[in-house]
Amino acid sequence: MKVKVGIIGCGTIARLGHALWYKENPNAELVAAADPNEKHLDKFSRSFKIGKSYKDPMDLIESGEIDAVSICSPHWAHCEQVLASVKRGIHVLVEKPMAVSMDECDVIGDAVNSVKTVFQVASQKRFELTHQKIKEALENGEIGVPFQASIYWYHYIPDLSTGLIRGTLNLFKKLGIDLEENLGAWRLTDARAGGGDLMDHLPHYYDLFRFWLGEPEHVSAEISRVYPGRVHEDHGIITIKYKSGAIGLVERSQDVKGRPFGEERGHVHGTSGSIYWDAPHEYTLKPVKLQKYSGTNIITNKRSPLLVPGNFRKSRAYKRQADMFIARIMNQPEIVDFPAKWVPGYEDGRAHVEGVIAAYMSALQRKKIELPLKKSVYQGLHFDFEHLLPPLKQQK
Ligand SMILES: NC(=O)c1ccc[n+]([C@@H]2O[C@H](COP(=O)([O-])OP(=O)(O)OC[C@H]3O[C@@H](n4cnc5c(N)ncnc54)[C@H](O)[C@@H]3O)[C@@H](O)[C@H]2O)c1
């Protein structure tokens, strides 16, 4: 019997990170989709030949037609849709960030910890074959004791609020084409997102570094709103100190001009060597490049086995994520070639939201933030980004 899957939110990640891979999985059947935007829903349902479509995601959840769901809606809708799905006994794969506040995380925790259905958070960087090789290398002591992990991750999204870009967007809108909606501009312009670039991107490397280096102890951050058209921060630098003593550094931006698909380069330094990786844009089908240096700085693994043609699809993080989700539902995680204990669940989803909230607290309250966050600190917490982050000033 195939696992009957539904998808909520039919945008970019639903297409590239979920639907494609359910379609390839012999044990899954993509049977239904939901999206309040009828154009997105129709296009998605037609391109993946999905039989049932719902404008209201709650109708899909209540339909009784699905065993499992991928929740790919904007951040603010995740909590409500997770709760309704879990209550209905549906297995859940929810996109990051799992929720937009710690309060929401706690409510989700109460729900998922009282059921036996599969609950998985889409921190898919853990599923990337290269990242799993690094995990193994660290566990095997191949670079000694790790003392630093860093990532430099940039994209460029122009300010949509002014000039030629605004004019072009308005023109297309008049012609009936809403480019902002089609390209997910809500992440730049909608306060419901709960945060800006860090809410969107920090969960990935906060999760991966925690997977590699263990529990964080405290977080410090600086954030900026480089373009006044954004409602939240669009650039940030975060340092994380781990209980092991290691340091993590995440440099993230939506404002850096450069290669068309941005930059995503990182390294882990250990007492007897270093590992460097250079990731292509995650929506492409290229492998992550991996290099390992020994103590004498000789490249020991310049041509990673992961660069061998044919391994490309096997290394796809999104495919491996979907395959593991379905295998866990079937109670056969062993059919996927990595341990089920590596799969990010509720505690991991909560940890990455905690990391984002701690980074905002650090930057906006100008202090180092100790973890774990106390409930008395995060309860009802709200950040006034527009007020606290004035636009950049040109130095005269
Ligand atoms: N894991 C990853 O690599 C990755 C990559 C991109 C996005 N994401 C996450 O996936 C989510 C969606 O991002 P995206 O880039 O696909 O956005 P998107 O704008 O491309 O797609 C979102 C879709 O959700 C629909 N939608 C809006 N409100 C909704 C609601 N209340 N319920 C259901 N659907 C609703 C929109 O009409 C749109 O079709 C975000 O939380 C984002 O952080 C994860």
Side-chain angles (χ1 to χ4, degrees):
M1 272 266 279
K2 292 189 179 196
V3 177
K4 292 193 171 65
V5 184
I7 292 189
I8 294 179
C10 303
T12 307
I13 200 59
R15 220 168 37 247
L16 299 175
H18 297 258
L20 272 175
W21 311 110
Y22 290 132
K23 278 288 188 187
E24 280 201 359
N25 188 311
N27 298 313
E29 191 183 357
L30 190 49
V31 296
D35 196 305
N37 180 316
E38 266 178 290
K39 280 189 188 159
H40 292 192
L41 181 61
D42 288 349
K43 192 171 166 202
F44 186 81
S45 301
R46 264 187 285 113
S47 66
F48 290 103
K49 300 187 174 51
I50 297 172
K52 286 281 179 75
S53 48
Y54 296 87
K55 233 184 128 180
D56 184 343
M58 291 303 157
D59 289 343
L60 164 60
I61 292 167
E62 290 303 324
S63 68
E65 283 160 2
I66 56 170
D67 308 310
V69 68
S70 273
I71 297 179
C72 305
S73 47
H75 317 334
W76 61 81
H78 293 176
C79 180
E80 184 192 24
Q81 292 166 356
V82 164
L83 294 178
S85 304
V86 169
K87 195 168 157 209
R88 204 55 169 80
I90 296 170
H91 306 286
V92 171
L93 172 57
V94 59
E95 267 303 338
K96 46 49 58 179
M98 180 177 82
V100 294
S101 69
M102 294 301 289
D103 294 325
E104 283 189 353
C105 287
D106 288 347
V107 178
I108 292 175
D110 290 342
V112 301
N113 290 333
S114 62
V115 295
K116 295 231 171 331
T117 42
V118 172
F119 181 78
Q120 198 168 309
V121 178
S123 289
Q124 84 281 348
K125 289 199 184 286
R126 286 186 187 210
F127 297 98
E128 167 62 50
L129 198 50
T130 311
H131 296 150
Q132 295 189 342
K133 294 278 174 210
I134 295 175
K135 167 84 172 162
E136 282 164 4
L138 294 175
E139 283 187 350
N140 297 337
E142 286 176 34
I143 58 164
V145 182
F147 58 87
Q148 188 185 330
S150 304
I151 181 73
Y152 301 89
W153 191 12
Y154 311 131
H155 294 119
Y156 176 66
I157 307 179
D159 190 345
L160 307 181
S161 68
T162 56
L164 190 61
I165 300 234
R166 185 67 258 157
T168 311
L169 293 172
N170 288 345
L171 184 68
F172 271 90
K173 213 167 191 168
K174 276 191 195 145
L175 298 170
I177 303 166
D178 192 336
L179 288 176
E180 283 172 280
E181 200 163 57
N182 294 348
L183 298 172
W186 53 265
R187 47 181 37 87
L188 311 171
T189 55
D190 197 321
R192 288 177 297 172
D197 186 65
L198 293 189
M199 187 61 91
D200 206 10
H201 287 96
L202 182 59
H204 283 302
Y205 277 95
Y206 193 86
D207 182 75
L208 194 61
F209 287 0
R210 184 171 162 268
F211 180 51
W212 289 341
L213 302 175
E215 285 302 325
E217 197 171 71
H218 57 249
V219 167
S220 301
E222 294 293 345
I223 57 176
S224 324
R225 191 154 63 99
V226 173
Y227 289 124
R230 331 275 209 213
V231 293
H232 306 106
E233 94 292 351
D234 51 7
H235 180 86
I237 296 173
I238 301 94
T239 58
I240 307 155
K241 182 85 178 181
Y242 294 87
K243 286 185 176 161
S244 67
I247 298 169
L249 170 69
V250 178
E251 205 180 296
R252 239 319 295 180
S253 192
Q254 304 201 336
D255 308 317
V256 177
K257 295 187 177 178
R259 289 198 295 195
F261 292 108
E263 301 281 348
E264 189 175 340
R265 282 175 285 115
H267 48 257
V268 193
H269 299 312
T271 49
S272 61
S274 294
I275 299 174
Y276 291 73
W277 72 96
D278 185 352
H281 193 280
E282 55 200 354
Y283 298 157
T284 63
L285 274 174
K286 291 181 189 156
V288 176
K289 283 185 198 154
L290 186 68
Q291 293 186 337
K292 199 171 92 195
Y293 292 76
S294 77
T296 49
N297 247 12
I298 294 165
I299 300 169
T300 56
N301 197 9
K302 190 174 180 183
R303 288 198 59 80
S304 155
L306 303 178
L307 297 181
V308 176
N311 260 349
F312 292 4
R313 289 180 81 74
K314 214 178 130 198
S315 77
R316 291 299 296 149
Y318 295 123
K319 171 174 166 45
R320 289 156 68 76
Q321 168 175 267
D323 287 352
M324 182 51 110
F325 181 51
I326 297 299
R328 288 177 73 213
I329 292 168
M330 293 164 52
N331 218 5
Q332 294 176 8
E334 67 283 356
I335 62 177
V336 181
D337 64 0
F338 56 92
K341 68 175 183 198
W342 283 359
V343 177
Y346 167 72
E347 291 301 333
D348 304 292
R350 187 181 191 281
H352 67 224
V353 175
E354 184 176 51
V356 173
I357 300 298
Y360 287 148
M361 286 173 67
S362 170
L364 298 173
Q365 300 171 0
R366 301 178 179 214
K367 59 186 184 191
K368 192 184 277 182
I369 303 297
E370 298 291 332
L371 299 174
L373 292 178
K374 292 199 177 85
K375 195 168 180 127
S376 57
V377 168
Y378 66 68
Q379 208 164 24
L381 191 65
H382 171 77
F383 302 106
D384 182 357
F385 290 91
E386 286 201 72
H387 180 240
L388 290 169
L389 287 179
L392 290 188
K393 290 190 200 85
Q394 185 82 48
Q395 203 64 35
K396 294 254 162 59

